Amino acid sequence: MIKVELGNTGIEKEQIMEYKDTIDKIHNDLHSRAEDESDFVGWLNLPTNYDRIEFSKIKKAAQKIQKESDILIVIGIGGSYLGARAVIEALTSSFSSIQSDEKRKYPQIVYAGNNLSPNYISELMEAIEGRDFSINVISKSGTTTEPAIAFRIFREILENKYGIDEARSRIYVTTDKEKGALRVLSDMEGYERFVVPDNVGGRYSVLTAVGLLPIAVAGIDIDKLMEGARIAQEKYNDSNLKYNECYQYAVSRNILYSQKDKGIELLVNYEPKMHYFTEWWKQLFGESEGKEEKGIFPAGVDYTTDLHSMGQYVQQGVRTLMETVINIKEPKFNININSDDDNLDGLNYLVGKSLDYVNKKAMEGTLEAHVTGDVPNTIITMDKLDEENIGQLIYFFELACAISGNILGVNPFNQPGVEEYKRNMFKLLEKPGY
Ligand code: PA5
């Protein structure tokens, strides 16, 4: 269950309600486009309208990978890996890489194809030596350079290790149903293939095979994840701004941006397991809104860690910041602070208190300080860190992002600017045709 509090944004309900008609229009427009195969709004009804056959195929493939492999290499970049990583890091142990295989129970998920660093690739090659592994290569276009290079490298290692035939059975491809080099290659080689639906763009694709296969391999319950998203779909289906907290969040951040000069939004967590959720969120909002010289710059901080690095700026730097705080009500584990006879660290005043209690007080104190320092705060509270809540949060932000981009007057489903660096890079690399 997710709750949004706007009490610390400094925005009055009446100001938000001025957007009532605009929101109603955007809501109806999005819903009218949701089933159009040639549009990019397929994510809107995905939690209730997903391909059940593909979903069972994902579960079966995940079980096979779990049985055969210690490691799954997820090869993808941007929307083709961030969603999976966000969910996996939020819901599995922060120390899974140093857990024994027995303790972890499920394959270790590692990522490649999200950078061009030879150090990264070499170190991963070394780390998988002597370990059983499979590959899930994910690319909607099937032509993105970073994952294509990584796939070429790790496919060769897989083929040398297991032979061509077994290697084929350890490669899982997630790509477009018709187009792209990966689609052609997977047909030729007979790799098991999963589809990125036409009407779901990369950064909105975590609840398709793009995210679901790696997430399921990591031992996370994808039925519950989809159920969480379904709950959010139902909850935020009301076109009336007065009753829709997701739309209120979208409106309030736009008011802060356009009327109060708050051009940067920091997504704040007090739980390091949410670090990659923030990375996913940054891509979602950054690629959706940052165009036509407009858009709130999405950034992220992990508190209390970053209070000791970024806290000074947030409190007293240029007043262009707003914060959106993810508050997780119940921690999965808690730890009590015990008494110490010498009390040399002076911490005995906390005896009997839990670490979560201290974390929450840090959050309350920071919130008050930042709001007083003219950093408006939105609080999004989720009950706990589990599949259902994460599913809700994913849907909440996808919908808020689409609404927000429309309020801003940009198309939240394209990313024309991403091509610029590619063109220059290809020219410098002397790629034919550039
Ligand atoms: O959101 C997007 O569309 C992009 O970030 C893509 O996900 C990213 O560029 C990777 O593209 P592809 O899946 O085609 O390899």
Side-chain angles (χ1 to χ4, degrees):
M1 160 97 164
I2 288 172
K3 212 181 139 14
V4 180
E5 288 165 66
L6 300 171
N8 290 296
T9 57
I11 298 171
E12 302 298 330
K13 277 210 172 76
E14 297 71 45
Q15 284 173 282
I16 291 181
M17 288 312 292
E18 282 169 21
Y19 285 74
K20 188 173 182 305
D21 294 343
T22 307
I23 291 298
D24 189 62
K25 230 170 115 218
I26 298 171
H27 171 98
N28 290 327
D29 175 57
L30 283 179
H31 279 267
S32 72
R33 295 161 57 190
E35 302 304 326
D36 185 343
E37 293 288 322
S38 60
D39 209 332
F40 282 101
V41 195
W43 52 270
L44 189 67
N45 292 338
L46 202 57
T48 48
N49 186 23
Y50 59 91
D51 183 340
R52 265 52 183 192
I53 298 173
E54 178 94 340
F55 197 76
S56 333
K57 247 180 76 192
I58 291 171
K59 286 184 179 170
K60 242 175 103 193
Q63 280 167 7
K64 181 168 175 289
I65 296 169
Q66 287 168 346
K67 228 168 77 200
E68 291 177 350
S69 292
D70 306 320
I71 293 168
L72 173 68
I73 306 181
V74 172
I75 298 180
I77 194 164
S80 288
Y81 98 104
L82 280 167
R85 190 161 194 178
V87 176
I88 292 166
E89 307 241 338
L91 299 179
T92 60
S93 168
S94 306
F95 300 98
S96 59
S97 65
I98 56 168
Q99 278 178 330
S100 64
D101 291 345
E102 294 71 46
K103 192 129 199 208
R104 192 176 53 243
K105 293 206 283 213
Y106 301 105
Q108 174 71 35
I109 314 294
V110 297
Y111 305 88
N114 56 57
N115 61 62
L116 290 168
S117 159
N119 296 328
Y120 186 96
I121 296 265
S122 306
E123 286 169 11
L124 181 53
M125 283 162 67
E126 198 191 343
I128 60 170
E129 258 170 34
R131 313 295 306 276
D132 281 314
F133 72 100
S134 300
I135 294 175
N136 180 199
V137 55
I138 309 166
S139 176
K140 183 168 180 172
S141 63
T143 53
T144 308
T145 312
E146 292 89 338
I149 291 175
F151 184 47
R152 184 181 275 216
I153 293 168
F154 286 103
R155 182 180 145 208
E156 190 185 339
I157 296 172
L158 198 69
E159 288 175 350
N160 289 340
K161 182 178 169 92
Y162 295 103
I164 302 273
D165 281 343
E166 192 179 339
R168 280 191 183 122
S169 75
R170 287 174 172 270
I171 292 175
Y172 301 82
V173 171
T174 308
T175 192
D176 188 87
K177 73 173 187 303
E178 274 159 12
K179 305 184 296 284
L182 206 47
R183 159 72 219 257
V184 176
L185 184 67
S186 68
D187 265 2
M188 274 170 53
E189 298 288 337
Y191 301 144
E192 177 151 21
R193 199 174 61 235
F194 296 90
V195 171
V196 192
D198 283 344
N199 59 353
V200 180
R203 56 190 175 275
Y204 292 84
S205 68
V206 51
L207 300 176
T208 70
V210 170
L212 294 177
L213 179 58
I215 290 169
V217 174
I220 293 164
D221 188 332
I222 57 173
D223 284 298
K224 287 190 181 150
L225 190 73
M226 292 305 279
E227 174 56 12
R230 189 201 60 76
I231 292 168
Q233 183 188 337
E234 196 179 299
K235 186 169 168 189
Y236 304 120
N237 192 28
D238 194 335
S239 66
N240 190 339
L241 180 57
K242 187 170 174 193
Y243 304 112
N244 193 321
E245 289 190 340
C246 178
Y247 294 178
Q248 290 168 14
Y249 162 66
V251 168
S252 76
R253 66 195 288 284
N254 274 280
I255 295 177
L256 290 169
Y257 170 67
S258 60
Q259 297 175 29
K260 314 256 176 198
D261 273 342
K262 304 298 182 191
I264 300 168
E265 181 177 10
L266 294 178
L267 192 70
V268 176
N269 70 68
Y270 284 80
E271 170 51 69
K273 292 165 83 65
M274 292 295 279
H275 178 84
Y276 265 93
F277 192 90
T278 303
E279 294 303 307
W280 170 81
W281 175 89
K282 276 161 59 180
Q283 189 216 357
L284 179 65
F285 279 83
E287 270 192 359
S288 299
E289 293 197 312
K291 49 198 74 156
E292 296 174 36
E293 301 187 8
K294 295 192 241 183
I296 298 166
F297 183 82
V301 281
D302 302 326
Y303 289 163
T304 59
T305 313
D306 290 336
L307 285 173
H308 298 259
S309 58
M310 301 297 286
Q312 169 60 38
Y313 191 103
V314 177
Q315 190 67 51
Q316 293 181 334
V318 183
R319 303 294 70 200
T320 47
L321 301 172
M322 61 175 117
E323 289 181 314
T324 298
V325 181
I326 309 273
N327 171 32
I328 302 167
K329 244 201 230 163
E330 292 283 329
K332 190 168 169 197
F333 304 104
N334 212 343
I335 289 177
N336 273 341
I337 295 165
N338 294 333
S339 171
D340 182 286
D341 286 348
D342 298 330
N343 193 29
L344 289 176
D345 53 14
L347 286 178
N348 273 357
Y349 75 102
L350 292 175
V351 169
K353 300 279 194 299
S354 72
L355 199 49
D356 186 56
Y357 173 84
V358 179
N359 203 16
K360 293 283 189 309
K361 292 297 156 202
M363 183 179 81
E364 286 168 32
T366 305
L367 193 111
E368 197 187 326
H370 289 182
V371 172
T372 309
D374 191 23
V375 180
N377 266 243
T378 300
I379 308 168
I380 299 178
T381 301
M382 55 199 274
D383 285 341
K384 50 185 169 175
L385 203 48
D386 64 4
E387 283 91 338
E388 217 174 277
N389 277 272
I390 286 287
Q392 285 188 49
L393 202 60
I394 286 170
Y395 189 88
F396 172 90
F397 279 126
E398 285 180 351
L399 181 57
C401 182
I403 296 282
S404 188
N406 274 287
I407 297 173
L408 200 61
V410 298
N411 174 359
F413 308 124
N414 67 4
Q415 55 283 329
V418 179
E419 296 310 311
E420 284 299 312
Y421 97 90
K422 290 186 193 168
R423 261 193 296 277
N424 292 344
M425 177 178 77
F426 291 148
K427 214 165 133 193
L428 292 166
L429 289 170
E430 298 175 29
K431 182 176 174 174
Y434 282 84

